[in-house]
Amino acid sequence: MSSIVLDNLTFDAKSGDQLENVSLELTSPQVIAFCSNDNGATTALKQLLDAQGSIEEGAVLVNGEPLGKVNRRHGNPLVAHFDDVELKGENRFKGSKKFP
């Protein structure tokens, strides 16, 4: 089973968006979607997994290993495809990828 864990994370994305004090655990084979009227959180999350920004506080673990170690060893195995989708007249962001 694969997992991504954010533990009390504060992250400054390259775009200027920020995640503050975020904790969550995603375990395969879960399928998730992040929906928001403000694209800042979804942009920051995508940039976190793309290693485009800096972790100010907390930890990101992928299968128990720090995110930076996983990205250095495997390139970027976490983010594959993101699209804008229209639901009930509003644009939404969707993504799909299997965990490594």
Side-chain angles (χ1 to χ4, degrees), residues 16-54:
D17 297 304
Q18 187 177 57
L19 299 173
E20 291 185 47
N21 303 322
V22 176
S23 294
L24 63 89
E25 183 173 348
L26 308 173
T27 305
S28 66
Q30 288 178 328
V31 175
I32 58 154
F34 293 95
C35 299
S36 174
N37 290 331
D38 176 7
N39 287 337
T42 54
T43 298
L45 184 60
K46 180 185 180 298
Q47 289 185 357
L48 168 67
L49 298 176
D50 278 337
Q52 296 179 352
S54 61

Side-chain angles (χ1 to χ4, degrees), residues 51 65-77:
E65 294 186 48
L67 177 63
K69 187 175 180 180
V70 172
N71 280 341
R72 281 192 302 276
R73 187 173 58 241
H74 298 293
N76 183 3

Side-chain angles (χ1 to χ4, degrees), residues 46-89:
K46 180 185 180 298
Q47 289 185 357
L48 168 67
L49 298 176
D50 278 337
Q52 296 179 352
S54 61
I55 295 173
E56 301 299 319
E57 204 172 303
V60 180
L61 302 176
V62 177
N63 296 330
E65 294 186 48
L67 177 63
K69 187 175 180 180
V70 172
N71 280 341
R72 281 192 302 276
R73 187 173 58 241
H74 298 293
N76 183 3
L78 300 176
V79 178
H81 186 71
F82 285 81
D83 289 316
D84 286 324
V85 189
E86 190 170 309
L87 299 173
K88 295 185 180 180

